[in-house]
Amino acid sequence: MRENGGALDRSDESERMIPTTKPILRVLRGERCSPPPIWLMRQAGRYLPEYRELRGKASGFLDFCFNPDLAVEATLQPIRRFGLDGAIMFSDILVVPHALGQKVSFRESSGPQLEPLQSAEDLARLSLAGFKDRLAAVFEILMRLRRDLPAATALIGFAGAPWTVASYMVEGRSCDGFAKAKRMAYAEPALFGRLIDLLVEATLAYLGAQIEAGAEVLQLFDSWAGNLAEAELRRWSLEPLSRIVARLKATYPDVPVILFPRGAGPLYGEFARIPGLAGLSLDSSLPLDWAAGELQPHVALQGNLDPLLLVLGGDAMRREVRRILGTLGRGPLIFNLGHGILPETPPEHVSELVETVHGWRG
Ligand code: CP3
């Protein structure tokens, strides 16, 4: 048991819960596991030949996400191949704008394409009516996964954070810096705030339904938090995420939430203090000693191997893995990457990584 007050509160709470052996859930209750559990962001995807074959069976990427047979199989592929400790349901953060009524599509080479949201009129066309019905396939996928997963594998549900989802909704595509979205956030904060509020409500409805369908852990991806300046980062990333965590905790106190505010730098310290938060996912640039001292007394940590080292494999990768384990492995840690697996990653390197982590005794 750790000496920190918040951690003690959380372990007291966990003693009242049904005992579980799933290592990811133990870590998120503040326990240290040796070796630590491991899962990887974007663990299902194009770097796997079996994924590419499966992907060929659906016409578009959204059809793939909403086809329970294909999405369940895509989720299970990396679990079977590597014996990971967590299974993240196969889907995408952009199903939320789609279910709100925005046009979303995915192109082979250029990624997601959305009809850009530019005005109050565009916002008024979006609606929560029928929102959950349009996501029914996701809940079906979770129910099947909960039934089919190995007993020790935690089922992870997810959503994009309001700021990151809004970035795609306003910009209409992936791009460097998301200047249009930032421009709206800085210059039209009332309009942008209404979009963020809508996304908070949509995300809460979506994540609540994921829990009801069997998700045991939730991760919120704020992949573009680092695009914002300090005050805006607090306003458009930290604040809406704090609201989401508080309301989830009020209804589902036992379901742990992990946040990934990529690029938040020292503001990670403020995320670590969000009441009720179980875990923080670290990007690769955060200093590990700082994270161990400033963040880990408050929350379990997840991360933070540079995805490029997984592409390289070998000694360079193993050296960094040992550094992460040596520093963060003294407290509650879920091993992961600092961002998603790159498509050019050799699957053998993932096996090598899982063996290294599972073979560690600290
Ligand atoms: O294995 C898993 O992690 C589960 C599935 C998952 C996908 N996307 C599948 C996907 C998850 C958790 C996501 C999250 C996601 N989607 C994020 C947040 C995490 C991050 O990487 O920052 C973001 C920003 C998106 C938006 C998105 N989806 C983009 C920008 C793209 C195109 C670029 C790319 O990486 O391909 C996607 C498409 C996408 N989502 C693919 C996959 C496997 C590839 C498309 C395909 O297979 O045709």
Side-chain angles (χ1 to χ4, degrees), residues 41-46 51 55 61 88-93 106 111-112 158 168 174 221 223 339:
M41 291 190 258
R42 297 290 195 103
Q43 61 193 26
R46 286 159 300 182
Y51 171 86
R55 175 77 177 81
F61 181 68
I88 183 158
M89 66 164 183
F90 190 84
S91 187
D92 196 84
I93 64 167
F106 287 82
F158 73 88
Y168 286 101
S174 271
F221 290 90
S223 305
H339 199 193

Side-chain angles (χ1 to χ4, degrees), residues 22 55 94 172 328:
K22 298 191 184 193
R55 175 77 177 81
L94 298 179
L328 300 181

Side-chain angles (χ1 to χ4, degrees), residues 275-329:
L277 185 68
L280 265 183
S281 201
L282 311 180
D283 62 61
S284 304
S285 70
L286 271 198
L288 294 182
D289 285 329
W290 180 83
E294 298 297 320
L295 308 178
Q296 217 167 18
H298 304 285
V299 288
L301 296 183
Q302 178 175 276
N304 71 343
L305 184 73
D306 188 332
L308 198 74
L309 286 169
L310 190 57
V311 177
L312 294 178
D315 284 346
M317 176 181 85
R318 270 195 291 264
R319 214 175 305 124
E320 179 64 4
V321 170
R322 281 196 292 268
R323 191 176 78 92
I324 294 167
L325 291 169
T327 313
L328 300 181

